[in-house]
Structures are given as C-alpha cells and as structure tokens.
Amino acid sequence: MTLDEAWEILQGSQFKRTRNREIILEFFSGKDRYLTAMEVRNHMAADNPGVSFDTIYRNLTTFSELGILEETELNGERHFRMQCDHGVHHHHFICTDCGKTESIPHCPMESLSVNLPGYEVEGHKFEVYGKCPVCLYP
C-alpha cells in the first residue's frame, strides 16, 4: 500500500491528517517487515519524546482496522506492517529474529476445504515462522 492510498482511506473514514499519523505511516512505508509499538515509539521519540503509547496503539489499531496495516502476534506481542499486495489473497513467512516477511502466494485452505464438506469457512489466518537466510547464516 502506498502512503497516498493510506491517506485516501483515512480521509474517507473522516480521520484528520496529523503529524503523529504522518510519522507512523512514513516509518512503516520504509519497512518490509513487522514492527512493534515499541519500535514505532523509539522512532518517534527523537522528534517527539513525549508521545504516549496510547497515541501509538490507538493509531496502529485504527490503521489495522481500516486495512492500512496488517497485524500479527509474535511472542505474545502485537506486530504490524504496511498492507502488502492489497486485494490479493496471500500469506507470509515471518522471520522470528528480524521480522522480515516473505509472501506465500499459495493458500493452504484450497486443499483443506476438501476435508470440510458441508462447512462454510468464513475466514482463516496462516503464517509460517522461522529464520530468514540473513538471520540464519549471519
């Protein structure tokens, strides 16, 4: 997702363009991995040391609910990343060390649905966790 697309979604949902939102979205747009609220806070602290976790979490949650950010849980903590391949169904391999992601275009539900005759699947989530080549062979 581009920054322009993110702002269109926010403005279409009656959210104002604030400096905090700009900083958060710009930070995510330059990353190809999942990030924690703490990483966002550390990034923002240089220019705004008083920014609260409430402000950060509120914005991250809003962005996630609007489909601007994707969300997952790693080690009991929420992680976020900019929505990728918007509108194209896919899954991710997520590095447990650095958070880098790699898209997995094949969906396992295609084969699993054969084992569920008579059932209607309303949604699913599939993620693969491990170490990327950079973290595995430093």
Side-chain angles (χ1 to χ4, degrees), residues 113-131:
S113 61
V114 171
N115 297 319
L116 297 169
Y119 290 83
E120 180 181 330
V121 176
E122 294 178 353
H124 69 279
K125 187 173 184 175
F126 178 74
E127 297 170 334
V128 178
Y129 305 98
K131 303 225 183 325

Side-chain angles (χ1 to χ4, degrees), residues 5-111:
E5 290 171 326
W7 284 116
E8 285 177 25
I9 291 169
L10 285 164
Q11 290 168 344
S13 298
Q14 308 302 313
F15 287 94
K16 294 180 183 176
R17 189 175 192 130
T18 66
R19 184 66 186 136
N20 284 337
R21 289 183 182 137
E22 285 179 353
I23 292 169
I24 292 169
L25 288 175
E26 287 170 8
F27 184 57
F28 276 97
S29 73
K31 306 286 188 244
D32 185 27
R33 64 185 185 89
Y34 281 93
L35 302 165
T36 64
M38 180 61 83
E39 289 174 294
V40 175
R41 167 102 183 58
N42 290 344
H43 172 74
M44 294 181 74
D47 293 329
N48 185 359
V51 67
S52 72
F53 271 111
D54 284 346
T55 297
I56 293 169
Y57 270 113
R58 189 171 44 256
N59 280 296
L60 293 176
T61 299
T62 297
F63 296 160
S64 182
E65 289 171 353
L66 293 174
I68 295 168
L69 296 180
E70 296 177 10
E71 182 178 345
T72 193
E73 186 175 314
L74 291 169
N75 302 322
E77 185 176 10
R78 292 168 70 189
H79 287 65
F80 304 86
R81 68 165 280 148
M82 191 67 93
Q83 185 73 252
C84 65
D85 298 326
H86 191 64
V88 177
H89 184 77
H90 66 285
H91 299 283
H92 291 119
F93 171 90
I94 304 168
C95 180
T96 54
D97 277 356
C98 71
K100 180 176 176 18
T101 63
E102 190 69 38
S103 289
I104 302 171
H106 175 73
C107 178
M109 285 305 295
E110 296 165 8
S111 60

